[in-house]
Amino acid sequence: MLKRFWLWLGRLLGKLLLTLVLVGLIGWGLGEAYYAWKFSGPVSTEEEIAPDEAALSRLIIEDAVRIVEQHRDNTRVLRDAHAKAHGCVRAEVQVLDTLDESLRQGVFSEPGHTWRAWMRLSNGNAYPQFDRARDARGMAIKLLDVPGEKLMKSPAHAGEQDFVMFNHPAFFVRDVAEYRSNFAAQADGKKALAFFPSWDPRSWEIRHLIIALKTLSPAPESPVATTYNSIAPFKLGELNIKYRVIPAPQNCPPYELPEQNTDLPNFLRNALYQQLSLDRAPACFELQVQKQNAQYYMPIEDPTVEWSEKISPFESVARITVQPQDFDSREQNLFCDNLSFNPWHALPEHRPIGGINRLRKSVYEAVSAYRHQRNAPAPAAPELQPIAEEAEAELSQ
């Protein structure tokens, strides 16, 4: 009798699992078919703000604070995402001489101009983990000494223009409402429910789960050996665009990174240190933009949709060079930890657009303020000033 019972239970569980898989695949297939149908366009070139967006943003800030408190270490409150840095390095961003007139906007308005910058490379998780774990990888760039009035009025960021990216071309939530549902599940320690908010299969986000799983990719051989995407759209003057940073080894002397020990918890930092500090070899990238073609399905308010490169290819607007440097010191790591990046640290010509970007404005600012308030010393502590002064001296040579 007992054997029959276990056989019956096994068959029942197998049928349930098969049913769930079939429902999930059907849901994913319908989602893909729906987006393929809508891909014929056209779409709006203007933002569409949901009436409950401000209220949802306040709830997301509360969830973000809960997450940083859950993952704080003994002394410091970490970021709610991209908590682990591989390093902050000095960079040069040079606008291309051959830039098309329509792209000469904001920080790209003067062909040939070189901006000094900080670049932060990171893992995406809310707490540090081994680099070999599947994760998103991030790049944030902060241009320095950028004149002009910025979208955010903070005096501390008055001279900055930030670009914030990670290594997947699409995001795994479509709007602020879904972000709140997904983020609340994570803050409650129920990650499995992030894409399955109820037993009703119609509420399941199979397509977005697949995007999230693709985002959690194996580690690259080095933080400078992968492509980073803005995901959400931005203005470039009157244009709507997305941007990305791609490796451009052709712009640097040939270099081959020695094989790294991927069992080490911080092998991505080691790879960066090997190239820049030991082998004294620069790293090169290109910053590119992709224009929205509103005759096709390239939406502003849904960053789960990857804009087609066949319809609108990316165009390079600047070269980024990370010169050889020593970056892995206690003082510079502390400086790196205290840097704040926000896509709204920007000129009006580079205004972020779309719901996820509008959410970033309030959430990034609130979490950054909370983190710096809880941590000591403050980000403008005197012992960090020599780092910035040294960078300015080196980049001006």
Side-chain angles (χ1 to χ4, degrees), residues 148-160 162 340-348 351-352 357-358 360-366 368-369:
E149 186 174 352
K150 305 305 187 295
L151 295 171
M152 296 183 73
K153 308 304 181 185
S154 169
H157 304 287
E160 300 174 359
D162 290 359
S340 294
F341 294 90
N342 190 321
W344 289 85
H345 296 158
L347 293 166
R351 181 171 65 85
N357 266 334
R358 294 191 297 271
R360 282 169 155 178
K361 182 178 184 180
S362 55
V363 174
Y364 282 25
E365 185 177 24
S368 177

Side-chain angles (χ1 to χ4, degrees), residues 224-238:
V224 298
T226 190
T227 295
Y228 298 91
N229 305 269
S230 71
I231 301 167
F234 291 76
K235 301 299 290 187
L236 183 60
E238 296 300 319

Side-chain angles (χ1 to χ4, degrees), residues 1-18:
M1 289 291 293
L2 187 60
K3 185 177 179 181
R4 289 181 179 178
F5 170 77
W6 287 115
L7 287 172
W8 171 82
L9 183 61
R11 292 192 189 101
L12 178 62
L13 291 175
K15 290 179 180 179
L16 286 174
L17 180 61
L18 180 60

Side-chain angles (χ1 to χ4, degrees), residues 72-86:
R72 68 175 300 165
D73 61 22
N74 294 330
T75 58
R76 301 185 66 76
V77 173
L78 306 175
R79 289 169 165 83
D80 64 312
H82 296 274
K84 180 179 180 178
H86 310 307

